[in-house]
Amino acid sequence: QVQVVESGGGLVQPGGSLRLSCEASGFTLDHYSIGWFRQAPGQEREGVSCIDSFDGSTYYADSVKGRFTISRDVAKNTVFLQMNSLKPEDTAVYYCAAAPLITRLWKNGDDFHSWGQGTQVTVSS
């Protein structure tokens, strides 16, 4: 019943921007935290960002700090990932996922049990 669906991916030029959306169903964002993860070909999955359901605190991988912003609209049950100053290294399939609780090790993904299908982000000139 707990489900998330990503959208908003596409092809952009280096330095460009995209906004990804994660639409939630079967739960509310004040009870489940949402994380964004990405996986590029030949690379392991990496935690990008998450937002805590308890107090709305946000967390980021060092590689995206200052460029990406995670936010939530509780009324619309949607989480966003605003991605600015995109680099070719950001090219990956991006996934959102839901967790009832998150720990300081959230980046490994083990806290998250409901995953979306992914949306492709390609940054290329």
Side-chain angles (χ1 to χ4, degrees):
Q1 190 170 61
V2 176
Q3 298 184 50
V4 291
V5 178
E6 311 94 331
S7 63
L11 173 64
V12 297
Q13 303 293 323
S17 298
L18 280 175
R19 188 180 75 161
L20 305 183
S21 298
C22 177
E23 299 179 1
S25 61
F27 65 97
T28 54
L29 297 179
D30 58 343
H31 288 87
Y32 280 80
S33 302
I34 296 293
W36 286 99
F37 300 80
R38 66 187 183 186
Q39 188 166 28
Q43 300 183 22
E44 63 185 8
R45 186 182 65 201
E46 297 182 299
V48 175
S49 182
C50 70
I51 185 163
D52 195 333
S53 64
F54 182 73
D55 59 2
S57 296
T58 58
Y59 305 91
Y60 300 91
D62 289 343
S63 60
V64 306
K65 286 181 180 177
R67 299 189 298 121
F68 291 11
T69 303
I70 190 170
S71 62
R72 65 180 179 179
D73 187 328
V74 176
K76 295 181 179 179
N77 234 34
T78 301
V79 171
F80 304 97
L81 184 68
Q82 179 67 46
M83 305 186 294
N84 298 327
S85 302
L86 283 163
K87 305 174 181 179
E89 307 93 274
D90 297 316
T91 296
V93 177
Y94 283 70
Y95 302 88
C96 68
L101 292 170
I102 57 171
T103 68
R104 65 179 296 168
L105 302 179
W106 65 269
K107 291 179 181 178
N108 66 22
D110 289 347
D111 296 335
F112 300 84
H113 303 294
S114 299
W115 293 78
Q117 295 297 308
T119 186
Q120 176 71 49
V121 172
T122 302
V123 184
S124 177
S125 60

